[in-house]
Amino acid sequence: MSLAIQIVIAFITDLLLGDPKGYPHPVKIIARLAYGTESLSRKLLSNHKLAGIITTITIVATSFSLVWLIIKGMAYIHPSLGWFASIYFIYTTLSIRSLFDESRPVFQFLKETNIIKARESLSRIVGRDTANLKENEIVRATVETVAESTVDGIISPLLFAVLGGAPLAVAYKAINTMDSLFGYKNETYRDFGWAPARLDDLANWVPARLALPVISIGAFFCGLSGRKSLAIALRDGSKHPSPNSGLPEAAMAGALGIRLGGASFYSGQLNEKPFIGDNLRELELSDITQSQKIMFTASFLGLAGVIAIELFF
């Protein structure tokens, strides 16, 4: 079975199943290993930056190696078992359905004017403080998350899967997971989290830039302005503190004709991010569903792109 077919099956599986609660997701295992390795490396090394580097290398290498060994071992028993294992691991790196499932309750509660529940639902998918957000701020945070996650939950895993199969896709997911665990600029992780944060920036550098045409074309297919999406992405994408996050957010802002960025609070600390996009109108509840439509369309375009890479290169 070709790698392209495996990726397509994994993609369809994610659309159908998402991330069922309770099953042994590799990301949960990676997180446990990362926390355990963090604890050990901090005890052995007084230099926290070095401890973070060693932890990062260990977890990424272990994730790649274990998946490679499992697939090879299953294939040794029977080729179909190897294919099944490969498809399963690629599927676990994708977050198309879960991104929709996790952002949908925010929309639904806002539609029901239950802002308290909307804030609670949003808190599960963003790192910022949500307890005091107004409706337009909740919409903004949701759209920003959908845009950013289109890269690290869809385009990046697809690209790494086609470049190195399931082992490389899971290794990418390990990088992304450690960034979410340790990539904080606080006293605890400022030094330790340097390595996973920088490696995550590096891993997402190409996918984030590939996201510009993907999101722009996706916006066009959704009846929005693909030209405006690309123009705003090129104009404002580099304003974001992250070298990657601003690009998909700007592309989404341009497609929807809205402005993202601005003030957010993280653990009680004010974080003023540059504005992205044009302030043409107030954010609306429909911006969430429009961003979801663009995300779905972009995911299919991304799939088509990696299939083309596999078939022709």
Side-chain angles (χ1 to χ4, degrees), residues 105-136:
V106 180
F107 168 83
Q108 197 62 42
F109 285 126
L110 286 178
K111 187 177 180 181
E112 297 168 0
T113 66
N114 191 338
I115 196 166
I116 294 176
K117 285 291 186 181
R119 290 166 177 163
E120 291 176 0
S121 295
L122 179 64
S123 69
R124 300 187 186 103
I125 60 174
V126 300
R128 72 191 70 185
D129 300 340
T130 64
N132 298 309
L133 294 184
K134 300 176 183 177
E135 179 175 326
N136 66 323

PDB file of all heavy atoms in Angstrom, residues 105-136:
ATOM      1  N   PRO A 105     -18.678  23.862  20.229  1.00  0.00           N
ATOM      2  CA  PRO A 105     -19.440  24.247  21.428  1.00  0.00           C
ATOM      3  C   PRO A 105     -19.356  25.737  21.744  1.00  0.00           C
ATOM      4  O   PRO A 105     -20.321  26.307  22.272  1.00  0.00           O
ATOM      5  CB  PRO A 105     -18.797  23.411  22.533  1.00  0.00           C
ATOM      6  CG  PRO A 105     -18.195  22.250  21.838  1.00  0.00           C
ATOM      7  CD  PRO A 105     -17.715  22.789  20.529  1.00  0.00           C
ATOM      8  N   VAL A 106     -18.218  26.361  21.434  1.00  0.00           N
ATOM      9  CA  VAL A 106     -18.093  27.800  21.672  1.00  0.00           C
ATOM     10  C   VAL A 106     -19.148  28.540  20.857  1.00  0.00           C
ATOM     11  O   VAL A 106     -19.860  29.418  21.366  1.00  0.00           O
ATOM     12  CB  VAL A 106     -16.681  28.298  21.295  1.00  0.00           C
ATOM     13  CG1 VAL A 106     -16.574  29.802  21.548  1.00  0.00           C
ATOM     14  CG2 VAL A 106     -15.608  27.543  22.072  1.00  0.00           C
ATOM     15  N   PHE A 107     -19.248  28.183  19.581  1.00  0.00           N
ATOM     16  CA  PHE A 107     -20.261  28.785  18.711  1.00  0.00           C
ATOM     17  C   PHE A 107     -21.660  28.508  19.232  1.00  0.00           C
ATOM     18  O   PHE A 107     -22.501  29.418  19.294  1.00  0.00           O
ATOM     19  CB  PHE A 107     -20.105  28.229  17.291  1.00  0.00           C
ATOM     20  CG  PHE A 107     -21.257  28.561  16.378  1.00  0.00           C
ATOM     21  CD1 PHE A 107     -21.299  29.783  15.726  1.00  0.00           C
ATOM     22  CD2 PHE A 107     -22.290  27.650  16.181  1.00  0.00           C
ATOM     23  CE1 PHE A 107     -22.364  30.101  14.884  1.00  0.00           C
ATOM     24  CE2 PHE A 107     -23.353  27.960  15.348  1.00  0.00           C
ATOM     25  CZ  PHE A 107     -23.400  29.193  14.700  1.00  0.00           C
ATOM     26  N   GLN A 108     -21.914  27.259  19.619  1.00  0.00           N
ATOM     27  CA  GLN A 108     -23.253  26.870  20.037  1.00  0.00           C
ATOM     28  C   GLN A 108     -23.692  27.614  21.294  1.00  0.00           C
ATOM     29  O   GLN A 108     -24.826  28.108  21.388  1.00  0.00           O
ATOM     30  CB  GLN A 108     -23.303  25.354  20.279  1.00  0.00           C
ATOM     31  CG  GLN A 108     -24.704  24.776  20.322  1.00  0.00           C
ATOM     32  CD  GLN A 108     -25.458  24.960  19.017  1.00  0.00           C
ATOM     33  OE1 GLN A 108     -24.896  24.789  17.932  1.00  0.00           O
ATOM     34  NE2 GLN A 108     -26.728  25.330  19.110  1.00  0.00           N
ATOM     35  N   PHE A 109     -22.787  27.735  22.264  1.00  0.00           N
ATOM     36  CA  PHE A 109     -23.139  28.432  23.506  1.00  0.00           C
ATOM     37  C   PHE A 109     -23.324  29.928  23.271  1.00  0.00           C
ATOM     38  O   PHE A 109     -24.188  30.550  23.894  1.00  0.00           O
ATOM     39  CB  PHE A 109     -22.077  28.189  24.578  1.00  0.00           C
ATOM     40  CG  PHE A 109     -22.130  26.808  25.187  1.00  0.00           C
ATOM     41  CD1 PHE A 109     -21.009  25.995  25.218  1.00  0.00           C
ATOM     42  CD2 PHE A 109     -23.309  26.333  25.723  1.00  0.00           C
ATOM     43  CE1 PHE A 109     -21.062  24.726  25.782  1.00  0.00           C
ATOM     44  CE2 PHE A 109     -23.384  25.064  26.298  1.00  0.00           C
ATOM     45  CZ  PHE A 109     -22.255  24.258  26.321  1.00  0.00           C
ATOM     46  N   LEU A 110     -22.527  30.503  22.385  1.00  0.00           N
ATOM     47  CA  LEU A 110     -22.725  31.912  22.058  1.00  0.00           C
ATOM     48  C   LEU A 110     -24.060  32.117  21.357  1.00  0.00           C
ATOM     49  O   LEU A 110     -24.757  33.116  21.602  1.00  0.00           O
ATOM     50  CB  LEU A 110     -21.590  32.427  21.172  1.00  0.00           C
ATOM     51  CG  LEU A 110     -20.235  32.661  21.853  1.00  0.00           C
ATOM     52  CD1 LEU A 110     -19.209  33.123  20.832  1.00  0.00           C
ATOM     53  CD2 LEU A 110     -20.355  33.689  22.978  1.00  0.00           C
ATOM     54  N   LYS A 111     -24.400  31.171  20.495  1.00  0.00           N
ATOM     55  CA  LYS A 111     -25.687  31.246  19.802  1.00  0.00           C
ATOM     56  C   LYS A 111     -26.846  31.207  20.790  1.00  0.00           C
ATOM     57  O   LYS A 111     -27.892  31.845  20.582  1.00  0.00           O
ATOM     58  CB  LYS A 111     -25.795  30.095  18.801  1.00  0.00           C
ATOM     59  CG  LYS A 111     -27.010  30.160  17.895  1.00  0.00           C
ATOM     60  CD  LYS A 111     -26.987  29.015  16.892  1.00  0.00           C
ATOM     61  CE  LYS A 111     -28.205  29.076  15.970  1.00  0.00           C
ATOM     62  NZ  LYS A 111     -28.199  27.940  14.993  1.00  0.00           N
ATOM     63  N   GLU A 112     -26.657  30.455  21.871  1.00  0.00           N
ATOM     64  CA  GLU A 112     -27.677  30.347  22.913  1.00  0.00           C
ATOM     65  C   GLU A 112     -27.555  31.461  23.957  1.00  0.00           C
ATOM     66  O   GLU A 112     -28.252  31.431  24.974  1.00  0.00           O
ATOM     67  CB  GLU A 112     -27.561  28.987  23.606  1.00  0.00           C
ATOM     68  CG  GLU A 112     -27.809  27.803  22.673  1.00  0.00           C
ATOM     69  CD  GLU A 112     -27.417  26.468  23.294  1.00  0.00           C
ATOM     70  OE1 GLU A 112     -26.945  26.487  24.457  1.00  0.00           O
ATOM     71  OE2 GLU A 112     -27.557  25.442  22.621  1.00  0.00           O
ATOM     72  N   THR A 113     -26.658  32.408  23.691  1.00  0.00           N
ATOM     73  CA  THR A 113     -26.356  33.538  24.605  1.00  0.00           C
ATOM     74  C   THR A 113     -25.914  33.074  25.982  1.00  0.00           C
ATOM     75  O   THR A 113     -26.140  33.748  26.986  1.00  0.00           O
ATOM     76  CB  THR A 113     -27.564  34.504  24.739  1.00  0.00           C
ATOM     77  OG1 THR A 113     -28.651  33.825  25.389  1.00  0.00           O
ATOM     78  CG2 THR A 113     -27.996  35.033  23.395  1.00  0.00           C
ATOM     79  N   ASN A 114     -25.284  31.911  26.039  1.00  0.00           N
ATOM     80  CA  ASN A 114     -24.734  31.393  27.298  1.00  0.00           C
ATOM     81  C   ASN A 114     -23.235  31.678  27.307  1.00  0.00           C
ATOM     82  O   ASN A 114     -22.407  30.807  27.008  1.00  0.00           O
ATOM     83  CB  ASN A 114     -25.007  29.894  27.408  1.00  0.00           C
ATOM     84  CG  ASN A 114     -24.699  29.356  28.803  1.00  0.00           C
ATOM     85  OD1 ASN A 114     -23.922  29.953  29.554  1.00  0.00           O
ATOM     86  ND2 ASN A 114     -25.299  28.235  29.148  1.00  0.00           N
ATOM     87  N   ILE A 115     -22.892  32.909  27.648  1.00  0.00           N
ATOM     88  CA  ILE A 115     -21.501  33.336  27.536  1.00  0.00           C
ATOM     89  C   ILE A 115     -20.603  32.640  28.560  1.00  0.00           C
ATOM     90  O   ILE A 115     -19.411  32.430  28.304  1.00  0.00           O
ATOM     91  CB  ILE A 115     -21.393  34.869  27.661  1.00  0.00           C
ATOM     92  CG1 ILE A 115     -20.019  35.338  27.157  1.00  0.00           C
ATOM     93  CG2 ILE A 115     -21.652  35.320  29.099  1.00  0.00           C
ATOM     94  CD1 ILE A 115     -19.932  36.824  26.932  1.00  0.00           C
ATOM     95  N   ILE A 116     -21.141  32.249  29.695  1.00  0.00           N
ATOM     96  CA  ILE A 116     -20.335  31.558  30.712  1.00  0.00           C
ATOM     97  C   ILE A 116     -19.861  30.209  30.182  1.00  0.00           C
ATOM     98  O   ILE A 116     -18.679  29.857  30.296  1.00  0.00           O
ATOM     99  CB  ILE A 116     -21.145  31.389  32.014  1.00  0.00           C
ATOM    100  CG1 ILE A 116     -21.438  32.752  32.640  1.00  0.00           C
ATOM    101  CG2 ILE A 116     -20.382  30.500  33.008  1.00  0.00           C
ATOM    102  CD1 ILE A 116     -22.318  32.691  33.873  1.00  0.00           C
ATOM    103  N   LYS A 117     -20.772  29.450  29.587  1.00  0.00           N
ATOM    104  CA  LYS A 117     -20.407  28.160  29.007  1.00  0.00           C
ATOM    105  C   LYS A 117     -19.481  28.338  27.809  1.00  0.00           C
ATOM    106  O   LYS A 117     -18.586  27.519  27.573  1.00  0.00           O
ATOM    107  CB  LYS A 117     -21.661  27.399  28.593  1.00  0.00           C
ATOM    108  CG  LYS A 117     -22.440  26.795  29.752  1.00  0.00           C
ATOM    109  CD  LYS A 117     -21.664  25.656  30.393  1.00  0.00           C
ATOM    110  CE  LYS A 117     -22.504  24.951  31.443  1.00  0.00           C
ATOM    111  NZ  LYS A 117     -21.751  23.846  32.095  1.00  0.00           N
ATOM    112  N   ALA A 118     -19.700  29.399  27.050  1.00  0.00           N
ATOM    113  CA  ALA A 118     -18.831  29.669  25.902  1.00  0.00           C
ATOM    114  C   ALA A 118     -17.405  29.916  26.366  1.00  0.00           C
ATOM    115  O   ALA A 118     -16.441  29.432  25.760  1.00  0.00           O
ATOM    116  CB  ALA A 118     -19.358  30.866  25.116  1.00  0.00           C
ATOM    117  N   ARG A 119     -17.267  30.680  27.454  1.00  0.00           N
ATOM    118  CA  ARG A 119     -15.929  30.928  28.004  1.00  0.00           C
ATOM    119  C   ARG A 119     -15.273  29.640  28.489  1.00  0.00           C
ATOM    120  O   ARG A 119     -14.079  29.418  28.270  1.00  0.00           O
ATOM    121  CB  ARG A 119     -16.032  31.916  29.171  1.00  0.00           C
ATOM    122  CG  ARG A 119     -16.380  33.347  28.774  1.00  0.00           C
ATOM    123  CD  ARG A 119     -16.782  34.146  29.992  1.00  0.00           C
ATOM    124  NE  ARG A 119     -17.065  35.541  29.693  1.00  0.00           N
ATOM    125  CZ  ARG A 119     -17.729  36.349  30.506  1.00  0.00           C
ATOM    126  NH1 ARG A 119     -18.183  35.881  31.681  1.00  0.00           N
ATOM    127  NH2 ARG A 119     -17.946  37.599  30.175  1.00  0.00           N
ATOM    128  N   GLU A 120     -16.066  28.782  29.147  1.00  0.00           N
ATOM    129  CA  GLU A 120     -15.540  27.508  29.639  1.00  0.00           C
ATOM    130  C   GLU A 120     -15.080  26.627  28.485  1.00  0.00           C
ATOM    131  O   GLU A 120     -14.013  25.994  28.559  1.00  0.00           O
ATOM    132  CB  GLU A 120     -16.608  26.789  30.460  1.00  0.00           C
ATOM    133  CG  GLU A 120     -16.927  27.454  31.789  1.00  0.00           C
ATOM    134  CD  GLU A 120     -18.059  26.760  32.524  1.00  0.00           C
ATOM    135  OE1 GLU A 120     -18.595  25.763  31.981  1.00  0.00           O
ATOM    136  OE2 GLU A 120     -18.409  27.198  33.639  1.00  0.00           O
ATOM    137  N   SER A 121     -15.877  26.566  27.415  1.00  0.00           N
ATOM    138  CA  SER A 121     -15.506  25.758  26.248  1.00  0.00           C
ATOM    139  C   SER A 121     -14.255  26.302  25.576  1.00  0.00           C
ATOM    140  O   SER A 121     -13.366  25.541  25.172  1.00  0.00           O
ATOM    141  CB  SER A 121     -16.666  25.728  25.240  1.00  0.00           C
ATOM    142  OG  SER A 121     -17.785  25.069  25.776  1.00  0.00           O
ATOM    143  N   LEU A 122     -14.172  27.622  25.485  1.00  0.00           N
ATOM    144  CA  LEU A 122     -13.000  28.242  24.865  1.00  0.00           C
ATOM    145  C   LEU A 122     -11.741  27.951  25.667  1.00  0.00           C
ATOM    146  O   LEU A 122     -10.664  27.749  25.084  1.00  0.00           O
ATOM    147  CB  LEU A 122     -13.217  29.751  24.748  1.00  0.00           C
ATOM    148  CG  LEU A 122     -12.072  30.557  24.146  1.00  0.00           C
ATOM    149  CD1 LEU A 122     -11.834  30.155  22.698  1.00  0.00           C
ATOM    150  CD2 LEU A 122     -12.356  32.054  24.241  1.00  0.00           C
ATOM    151  N   SER A 123     -11.856  27.918  26.997  1.00  0.00           N
ATOM    152  CA  SER A 123     -10.688  27.699  27.854  1.00  0.00           C
ATOM    153  C   SER A 123     -10.021  26.354  27.588  1.00  0.00           C
ATOM    154  O   SER A 123      -8.853  26.160  27.917  1.00  0.00           O
ATOM    155  CB  SER A 123     -11.083  27.799  29.331  1.00  0.00           C
ATOM    156  OG  SER A 123     -11.912  26.712  29.711  1.00  0.00           O
ATOM    157  N   ARG A 124     -10.757  25.424  26.993  1.00  0.00           N
ATOM    158  CA  ARG A 124     -10.203  24.095  26.702  1.00  0.00           C
ATOM    159  C   ARG A 124      -9.334  24.085  25.446  1.00  0.00           C
ATOM    160  O   ARG A 124      -8.618  23.111  25.214  1.00  0.00           O
ATOM    161  CB  ARG A 124     -11.345  23.080  26.552  1.00  0.00           C
ATOM    162  CG  ARG A 124     -12.214  22.944  27.798  1.00  0.00           C
ATOM    163  CD  ARG A 124     -13.221  21.818  27.662  1.00  0.00           C
ATOM    164  NE  ARG A 124     -14.132  21.790  28.816  1.00  0.00           N
ATOM    165  CZ  ARG A 124     -15.373  22.230  28.808  1.00  0.00           C
ATOM    166  NH1 ARG A 124     -15.887  22.721  27.681  1.00  0.00           N
ATOM    167  NH2 ARG A 124     -16.129  22.177  29.883  1.00  0.00           N
ATOM    168  N   ILE A 125      -9.419  25.127  24.634  1.00  0.00           N
ATOM    169  CA  ILE A 125      -8.677  25.115  23.365  1.00  0.00           C
ATOM    170  C   ILE A 125      -7.706  26.287  23.222  1.00  0.00           C
ATOM    171  O   ILE A 125      -6.996  26.368  22.210  1.00  0.00           O
ATOM    172  CB  ILE A 125      -9.627  25.077  22.150  1.00  0.00           C
ATOM    173  CG1 ILE A 125     -10.555  26.299  22.146  1.00  0.00           C
ATOM    174  CG2 ILE A 125     -10.432  23.788  22.142  1.00  0.00           C
ATOM    175  CD1 ILE A 125     -11.421  26.387  20.894  1.00  0.00           C
ATOM    176  N   VAL A 126      -7.667  27.200  24.204  1.00  0.00           N
ATOM    177  CA  VAL A 126      -6.735  28.322  24.130  1.00  0.00           C
ATOM    178  C   VAL A 126      -5.962  28.426  25.436  1.00  0.00           C
ATOM    179  O   VAL A 126      -6.390  27.919  26.470  1.00  0.00           O
ATOM    180  CB  VAL A 126      -7.457  29.666  23.847  1.00  0.00           C
ATOM    181  CG1 VAL A 126      -8.204  29.604  22.524  1.00  0.00           C
ATOM    182  CG2 VAL A 126      -8.405  30.034  24.986  1.00  0.00           C
ATOM    183  N   GLY A 127      -4.824  29.109  25.370  1.00  0.00           N
ATOM    184  CA  GLY A 127      -4.004  29.276  26.563  1.00  0.00           C
ATOM    185  C   GLY A 127      -4.306  30.554  27.324  1.00  0.00           C
ATOM    186  O   GLY A 127      -3.895  30.703  28.473  1.00  0.00           O
ATOM    187  N   ARG A 128      -5.025  31.475  26.702  1.00  0.00           N
ATOM    188  CA  ARG A 128      -5.303  32.766  27.340  1.00  0.00           C
ATOM    189  C   ARG A 128      -6.387  32.641  28.404  1.00  0.00           C
ATOM    190  O   ARG A 128      -7.148  31.680  28.435  1.00  0.00           O
ATOM    191  CB  ARG A 128      -5.719  33.790  26.275  1.00  0.00           C
ATOM    192  CG  ARG A 128      -7.100  33.568  25.698  1.00  0.00           C
ATOM    193  CD  ARG A 128      -7.347  34.428  24.471  1.00  0.00           C
ATOM    194  NE  ARG A 128      -6.547  33.981  23.339  1.00  0.00           N
ATOM    195  CZ  ARG A 128      -6.507  34.612  22.166  1.00  0.00           C
ATOM    196  NH1 ARG A 128      -7.221  35.709  21.976  1.00  0.00           N
ATOM    197  NH2 ARG A 128      -5.765  34.133  21.178  1.00  0.00           N
ATOM    198  N   ASP A 129      -6.477  33.647  29.252  1.00  0.00           N
ATOM    199  CA  ASP A 129      -7.538  33.706  30.255  1.00  0.00           C
ATOM    200  C   ASP A 129      -8.864  34.001  29.551  1.00  0.00           C
ATOM    201  O   ASP A 129      -8.938  34.898  28.695  1.00  0.00           O
ATOM    202  CB  ASP A 129      -7.253  34.805  31.280  1.00  0.00           C
ATOM    203  CG  ASP A 129      -5.935  34.580  32.011  1.00  0.00           C
ATOM    204  OD1 ASP A 129      -5.447  33.435  32.019  1.00  0.00           O
ATOM    205  OD2 ASP A 129      -5.401  35.552  32.571  1.00  0.00           O
ATOM    206  N   THR A 130      -9.910  33.277  29.919  1.00  0.00           N
ATOM    207  CA  THR A 130     -11.188  33.437  29.234  1.00  0.00           C
ATOM    208  C   THR A 130     -12.324  33.899  30.138  1.00  0.00           C
ATOM    209  O   THR A 130     -13.414  34.203  29.654  1.00  0.00           O
ATOM    210  CB  THR A 130     -11.613  32.102  28.586  1.00  0.00           C
ATOM    211  OG1 THR A 130     -11.827  31.120  29.628  1.00  0.00           O
ATOM    212  CG2 THR A 130     -10.554  31.583  27.628  1.00  0.00           C
ATOM    213  N   ALA A 131     -12.080  33.986  31.438  1.00  0.00           N
ATOM    214  CA  ALA A 131     -13.169  34.203  32.403  1.00  0.00           C
ATOM    215  C   ALA A 131     -13.913  35.514  32.195  1.00  0.00           C
ATOM    216  O   ALA A 131     -15.098  35.609  32.528  1.00  0.00           O
ATOM    217  CB  ALA A 131     -12.621  34.146  33.821  1.00  0.00           C
ATOM    218  N   ASN A 132     -13.240  36.521  31.642  1.00  0.00           N
ATOM    219  CA  ASN A 132     -13.878  37.840  31.518  1.00  0.00           C
ATOM    220  C   ASN A 132     -14.046  38.300  30.074  1.00  0.00           C
ATOM    221  O   ASN A 132     -14.308  39.487  29.817  1.00  0.00           O
ATOM    222  CB  ASN A 132     -13.057  38.889  32.292  1.00  0.00           C
ATOM    223  CG  ASN A 132     -12.989  38.579  33.778  1.00  0.00           C
ATOM    224  OD1 ASN A 132     -14.011  38.350  34.423  1.00  0.00           O
ATOM    225  ND2 ASN A 132     -11.774  38.539  34.314  1.00  0.00           N
ATOM    226  N   LEU A 133     -13.902  37.387  29.134  1.00  0.00           N
ATOM    227  CA  LEU A 133     -13.983  37.781  27.729  1.00  0.00           C
ATOM    228  C   LEU A 133     -15.408  38.125  27.316  1.00  0.00           C
ATOM    229  O   LEU A 133     -16.370  37.479  27.727  1.00  0.00           O
ATOM    230  CB  LEU A 133     -13.464  36.648  26.831  1.00  0.00           C
ATOM    231  CG  LEU A 133     -11.978  36.292  26.945  1.00  0.00           C
ATOM    232  CD1 LEU A 133     -11.625  35.223  25.921  1.00  0.00           C
ATOM    233  CD2 LEU A 133     -11.099  37.518  26.771  1.00  0.00           C
ATOM    234  N   LYS A 134     -15.521  39.149  26.479  1.00  0.00           N
ATOM    235  CA  LYS A 134     -16.800  39.507  25.883  1.00  0.00           C
ATOM    236  C   LYS A 134     -17.040  38.632  24.649  1.00  0.00           C
ATOM    237  O   LYS A 134     -16.137  37.921  24.203  1.00  0.00           O
ATOM    238  CB  LYS A 134     -16.802  40.985  25.493  1.00  0.00           C
ATOM    239  CG  LYS A 134     -16.584  41.934  26.666  1.00  0.00           C
ATOM    240  CD  LYS A 134     -16.501  43.367  26.196  1.00  0.00           C
ATOM    241  CE  LYS A 134     -16.211  44.307  27.353  1.00  0.00           C
ATOM    242  NZ  LYS A 134     -16.066  45.719  26.899  1.00  0.00           N
ATOM    243  N   GLU A 135     -18.248  38.714  24.094  1.00  0.00           N
ATOM    244  CA  GLU A 135     -18.594  37.844  22.971  1.00  0.00           C
ATOM    245  C   GLU A 135     -17.659  38.025  21.789  1.00  0.00           C
ATOM    246  O   GLU A 135     -17.170  37.052  21.220  1.00  0.00           O
ATOM    247  CB  GLU A 135     -20.033  38.098  22.519  1.00  0.00           C
ATOM    248  CG  GLU A 135     -20.431  37.224  21.324  1.00  0.00           C
ATOM    249  CD  GLU A 135     -21.879  37.363  20.928  1.00  0.00           C
ATOM    250  OE1 GLU A 135     -22.736  37.559  21.824  1.00  0.00           O
ATOM    251  OE2 GLU A 135     -22.179  37.278  19.725  1.00  0.00           O
ATOM    252  N   ASN A 136     -17.360  39.282  21.414  1.00  0.00           N
ATOM    253  CA  ASN A 136     -16.496  39.496  20.252  1.00  0.00           C
ATOM    254  C   ASN A 136     -15.076  39.009  20.521  1.00  0.00           C
ATOM    255  O   ASN A 136     -14.374  38.544  19.611  1.00  0.00           O
ATOM    256  CB  ASN A 136     -16.495  40.973  19.847  1.00  0.00           C
ATOM    257  CG  ASN A 136     -15.855  41.877  20.880  1.00  0.00           C
ATOM    258  OD1 ASN A 136     -16.000  41.665  22.086  1.00  0.00           O
ATOM    259  ND2 ASN A 136     -15.157  42.898  20.435  1.00  0.00           N
TER     260      ASN A 136
END
